[in-house]
Amino acid sequence: MVIRHVRTFGAGLTVVYGSLALALAFGTFRGWFFQSDKPETRIAVVGLIVLIVATMLAEYVGAFKRSAAGRDALKGLAYWCGAIVWVLAVVRLVPDNRAGATVLIGPVAALMLAGVFYVARFAGTCTRAWANAIMPAASMPVPAPVLGNSLSEELPNEAIESGRVDVAANTGKICVRFLGGIAGMLILAQVVKRTDYAVSAETICYITAIFLAAMALRSLPNRAPALSLSAEGISVRRDLCAITRLPWAEIVGFEMKSALGNTFLVIQVKDAEELIAQRRPISRWVMGQSVAKFGSPVRIPVSWLKCDPGWLWQKVNEMLMNARPSNHPSKA
């Protein structure tokens, strides 16, 4: 996400918290919560979990002004203590009717939700720190090309002579990625099947598995090159990168970084914010996460390409140097 959309996400989430507190107070006044001896609570619990996860995600991507994690935790505990104090102070003073229940529950709901908000922020900060600690994107030395394994030896002569290089996708590793994700979701669905919230959790797992299967069916039969290098710039297949075309004029340089047990070719660009702003919402979010972790919105998983990493490194740098205006003689 670009900064503007991130801030909007955070503001919208804050409005949701406030609206929930007002809705609880209004529902109490109307008597909606006293019409059944056994009210349905599963939807409320699942909704609260979704709200907590959304808050953790918002904190992770920087939707709120960053503060010390310990301060957020103390604020959350303070709001919860305030809710307890309010109940103890008011419970014997309000009348035993809907108006009295509203006076009691309205502020309690607001204080409890404020506590949830700050504790979820604290959890998001811890998650970000934990992820950066165990899964850092570290720069790595680029190995020398392995002779006999370079894709350039497999290309037809006319492709090399025309200045265009096509790199095929490593469908085997892509297939393993999707199959692993699908299997994980199906196993998780069976684990949560016997819990009190089995219907909601199991449905989420199955929907995720179906989504991964659809992505696999979309990408695996695709015979188009995963990566193409030409005189105009770099083209990447959509299922491997959020950016499909990037001209050399927008590229500053390259880095090789490792994260999540994978090696990425990180492309440094001139104007990351402008590049992200041109994408769709999901792509903006993915690219924003890439900026936070890799320092650039554009990264290509090298292991999903059928080429030697050392050869790829040399090739992209060579073509970038050739494309720069300073390397072209000026016309008299």
Side-chain angles (χ1 to χ4, degrees):
M1 292 184 185
V2 292
I3 296 176
R4 182 179 67 258
H5 295 91
V6 167
R7 299 301 185 194
T8 302
F9 177 40
L13 197 57
T14 305
V15 170
V16 170
Y17 274 97
S19 300
L20 281 177
L22 293 174
L24 287 171
F26 183 72
T28 302
F29 181 76
R30 299 287 295 180
W32 293 341
F33 306 131
F34 308 102
Q35 297 176 0
S36 174
D37 295 334
K38 295 182 179 180
E40 178 63 46
T41 59
R42 288 187 298 179
I43 296 177
V45 172
V46 172
L48 183 61
I49 292 174
V50 171
L51 190 62
I52 292 173
V53 172
T55 306
M56 292 175 62
L57 177 62
E59 175 63 31
Y60 188 90
V61 300
F64 309 114
K65 185 178 179 180
R66 293 283 165 83
S67 62
R71 188 181 303 171
D72 284 335
L74 290 176
K75 284 182 179 180
L77 292 176
Y79 276 111
W80 285 343
C81 290
I84 295 173
V85 170
W86 176 260
V87 172
L88 295 177
V90 177
V91 67
R92 296 183 180 181
L93 302 178
V94 298
D96 188 14
N97 53 29
R98 293 182 182 178
T102 303
V103 172
L104 180 65
I105 293 178
V108 167
L111 291 169
M112 291 298 290
L113 284 170
V116 169
F117 172 75
Y118 281 106
V119 171
R121 282 193 57 176
F122 169 72
T125 303
C126 293
T127 301
R128 183 178 66 251
W130 173 76
N132 291 336
I134 68 171
M135 296 180 294
S139 298
M140 58 178 296
V142 181
V146 179
L147 297 177
N149 192 35
S150 171
L151 182 69
S152 61
E153 297 182 359
E154 303 173 3
L155 291 172
N157 292 331
E158 57 269 24
I160 299 175
E161 292 172 0
S162 64
R164 180 182 177 87
V165 178
D166 292 333
V167 182
N170 193 330
T171 54
K173 290 189 176 181
I174 296 175
C175 184
V176 169
R177 175 192 64 167
F178 283 119
L179 289 178
I182 293 170
M185 287 297 103
L186 295 178
I187 292 172
L188 185 59
Q190 297 304 312
V191 170
V192 302
K193 193 172 185 179
R194 292 187 174 88
T195 65
D196 293 337
Y197 309 103
V199 176
S200 301
E202 189 179 3
T203 301
I204 293 173
C205 292
Y206 283 130
I207 291 175
T208 305
I210 292 172
F211 172 76
L212 291 174
M215 291 294 292
L217 292 175
R218 175 177 175 266
S219 62
L220 291 178
N222 195 337
R223 296 183 179 275
L227 176 69
S228 294
L229 308 174
S230 65
E232 289 75 28
I234 297 177
S235 299
V236 189
R237 217 168 67 183
R238 186 177 296 277
D239 53 309
L240 297 182
C241 184
I243 295 292
T244 56
R245 294 183 183 277
L246 194 62
W248 296 114
E250 297 294 329
I251 299 175
V252 176
F254 301 95
E255 287 184 276
M256 280 286 190
K257 291 190 175 183
S258 62
L260 305 174
N262 201 351
T263 301
F264 295 88
L265 176 67
V266 180
I267 305 177
Q268 301 294 342
V269 296
K270 290 183 178 179
D271 193 342
E273 288 291 334
E274 178 64 23
L275 197 63
I276 295 174
Q278 298 172 1
R279 304 296 106 187
R280 295 179 179 179
I282 295 178
S283 296
R284 288 198 296 265
W285 184 84
V286 172
M287 295 170 71
Q289 292 301 295
S290 181
V291 170
K293 193 171 187 64
F294 294 89
S296 172
V298 187
R299 55 184 172 88
I300 303 170
V302 177
S303 62
W304 296 349
L305 303 175
K306 279 189 176 180
C307 69
D308 176 66
W311 170 86
L312 178 63
W313 174 261
Q314 289 190 2
K315 195 65 180 177
V316 293
N317 279 283
E318 175 189 335
M319 296 188 73
L320 175 61
M321 290 297 295
N322 293 334
R324 286 177 174 169
S326 58
N327 293 327
H328 295 283
S330 58
K331 295 182 180 180

